[in-house]
């Protein structure tokens, strides 16, 4: 049995779909407050939905019972309920899950994290605390560290409004990022199950090429056949936002934007030899956005 924590989220939902397509058993951790449409979608896939919350260790014991592998994509950064925070979910909640999985003799724990960034911020320190705990534990661990998801950072929620030919760019837009599709991250997560290359491994993940944001805009302009209006958010404004943030979440968002501005290049050649994943390009994504 595979337990997916974060199953009602974008990435976790895709992982459930891929596993069920392969005919593998899926137990999905859901909450009473989870979106009912997402819940019924998981049920229609044939996932066994169990109620639980990362903040409630007792529910995790039950969820981990009889499980061989846990894949955790959960995070409080976007989908939050009362009491959810980076501290209670991304740090302590994930630590609760690792403890529960260990007690239930789970064989493998796959955590979705992100690559190392040079400056400290609460979400990074939470992710690293969970990674450190996994390294010290008894389970086989796989820590996947994808860089920016194209569907998020090149999507309207973060100001990349391709439908209206407007692009908000963090920083100069000249530093390169290995943009990755969350669907490919889901493939790496499922391909990590029982893959010897994923045993006790930390694997950075990126897309097939690294492109600056300005190069990305050019691709979209070609594909959409129109000029984009670009608005830059300068590093100074992001730094000010990070330094004056009113809470750890706002500080973390500003830090993630600064990371985008600085660029994040991942060389995938070695990883692709061990994982048979056909990576989605920014051009593929742009063409699908028409
Ligand atoms: N976006 C990027 O560019 C990027 C890059 C690298 C890594 N990542 C990582 O990718 C992961 C997945 O992202 P996503 O886009 O799939 O996130 P998402 O759509 O916001 O999903 C978050 C999931 O976490 C669950 N969750 C939140 N609090 C919980 C709690 N207290 N107990 C149990 N479940 C809880 C949510 O459940 P409910 O539906 O019940 O709220 C939801 O299923 C995150 O760990 C993120 O850090 C993202």
């Amino acid at each position: 049995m595979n337990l997916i924590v974060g199953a009602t989220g974008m990435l976790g939902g895709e992982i459930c779909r891929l596993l069920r397509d392969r005919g593998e058993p899926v137990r999905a951790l859901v909450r009473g407050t989870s979106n009912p449409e997402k819940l019924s979608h998981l049920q229609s896939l044939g996932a066994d939905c169990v109620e639980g919350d990362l903040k409630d260790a007792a529910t995790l014991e039950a969820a981990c019972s009889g499980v061989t592998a846990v894949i955790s994509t959960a995070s409080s950064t976007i989908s939050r309920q009362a009491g959810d925070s980076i501290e209670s979910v991304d740090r302590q909640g994930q630590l609760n899950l690792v403890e529960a999985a260990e007690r239930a003799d789970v064989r493998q724990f796959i955590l979705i994290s992100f690559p190392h960034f040079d400056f400290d911020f609460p979400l990074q320190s939470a992710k690293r605390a969970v990674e450190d705990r996994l390294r010290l534990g008894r389970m086989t661990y796989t820590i996947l560290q994808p860089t920016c998801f194209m569907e998020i950072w090149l999507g309207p929620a973060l100001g990349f409004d391709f439908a209206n030919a407007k692009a908000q760019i963090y920083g100069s837009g000249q530093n390169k990022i290995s943009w990755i599709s969350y669907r490919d991250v889901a493939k790496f997560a499922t391909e990590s199950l029982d893959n010897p290359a994923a045993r006790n491994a930390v694997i950075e993940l990126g897309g097939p090429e690294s492109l600056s944001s300005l190069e990305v805009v050019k691709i979209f302009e070609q594909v959409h056949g129109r000029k984009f209006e670009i608005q830059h958010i300068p590093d100074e404004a992001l730094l000010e936002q990070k330094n004056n943030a009113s809470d750890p979440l706002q500080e973390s968002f500003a830090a993630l934007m600064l990371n985008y501005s600085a660029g994040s290049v991942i060389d995938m050649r070695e990883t692709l030899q061990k994982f048979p994943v056909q990576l989605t390009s920014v051009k593929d994504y742009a063409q699908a956005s028409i």
Side-chain angles (χ1 to χ4, degrees):
M1 176 55 82
N2 304 292
L3 172 67
I4 315 304
V5 179
T8 50
M10 186 176 79
L11 177 59
E14 178 66 3
I15 291 172
C16 292
R17 190 187 69 77
L18 289 177
L19 288 174
R20 291 302 301 136
D21 271 3
R22 283 180 5 188
E24 294 198 28
V26 167
R27 185 178 293 164
L29 192 85
V30 300
R31 303 196 279 178
T33 49
S34 296
N35 180 324
E37 271 175 35
K38 291 185 175 168
L39 200 61
S40 56
H41 178 63
L42 288 169
Q43 284 161 339
S44 73
L45 291 175
D48 168 25
C49 295
V50 296
E51 259 197 51
D53 192 306
L54 286 171
K55 304 189 296 304
D56 181 352
T59 61
L60 303 177
E61 299 265 325
C64 287
S65 163
V67 164
T68 318
V70 171
I71 305 180
S72 184
T73 66
S75 174
S76 68
T77 41
I78 298 173
S79 192
R80 278 186 307 286
Q81 297 298 329
D84 288 353
S85 65
I86 289 175
E87 178 57 34
S88 69
V89 175
D90 295 78
R91 179 195 294 269
Q92 192 53 52
Q94 294 282 12
L95 291 173
N96 292 343
L97 180 62
V98 175
E99 297 279 337
E102 243 176 30
R103 275 197 295 275
D105 287 328
V106 166
R107 271 212 312 260
Q108 185 180 12
F109 194 111
I110 302 175
L111 176 75
I112 306 299
S113 182
F114 48 65
H116 171 79
F117 301 156
D118 282 341
F119 34 82
D120 288 337
F121 57 99
L123 185 61
Q124 162 145 267
S125 81
K127 294 275 193 197
R128 303 300 167 231
V130 184
E131 294 180 7
D132 290 347
R133 173 65 185 80
L134 281 171
R135 282 195 193 88
L136 292 174
R138 296 192 268 120
M139 294 178 285
T140 295
Y141 65 82
T142 307
I143 296 164
L144 298 179
Q145 298 183 325
T147 183
C148 299
F149 295 178
M150 50 183 87
E151 292 85 354
I152 297 289
W153 291 93
L154 304 178
L158 287 182
F160 199 92
D161 182 6
F162 44 74
N164 295 304
K166 288 185 181 161
Q168 181 167 278
I169 284 179
Y170 303 100
S172 69
Q174 282 170 354
N175 295 322
K176 292 186 188 283
I177 296 177
S178 305
W179 312 92
I180 187 166
S181 166
Y182 80 91
R183 293 177 203 276
D184 293 342
V185 178
K187 288 180 192 152
F188 281 104
T190 57
E191 292 296 330
S192 292
L193 289 166
D194 296 324
N195 182 336
R199 284 181 63 83
N200 299 332
V202 180
I203 304 168
E204 290 188 330
L205 298 176
E209 74 227 303
S210 48
L211 296 166
S212 72
S213 308
L214 292 172
E215 288 168 333
V216 167
V217 170
K218 283 214 170 68
I219 290 174
F220 271 81
E221 286 179 337
Q222 276 161 9
V223 168
H224 282 246
R226 62 200 282 214
K227 190 105 191 107
F228 274 44
E229 189 187 311
I230 296 176
Q231 195 204 346
H232 289 268
I233 310 220
D235 283 348
E236 299 72 44
L238 296 172
L239 208 53
E240 196 182 313
Q241 202 177 317
K242 179 179 179 308
N243 293 338
N244 299 328
S246 55
D247 62 59
L249 185 61
Q250 295 314 318
E251 184 186 345
S252 298
F253 277 138
L256 291 169
M257 290 171 197
L258 279 164
N259 174 64
Y260 159 128
S261 167
S264 173
V265 173
I266 314 276
D267 184 345
M268 288 297 288
R269 281 173 296 187
E270 210 184 309
T271 302
L272 288 175
Q273 283 171 9
K274 300 171 192 156
F275 295 82
V277 173
Q278 181 71 42
L279 291 169
T280 310
S281 68
V282 167
K283 191 167 182 193
D284 296 333
Y285 169 67
Q287 280 166 337
S289 73
I290 297 180

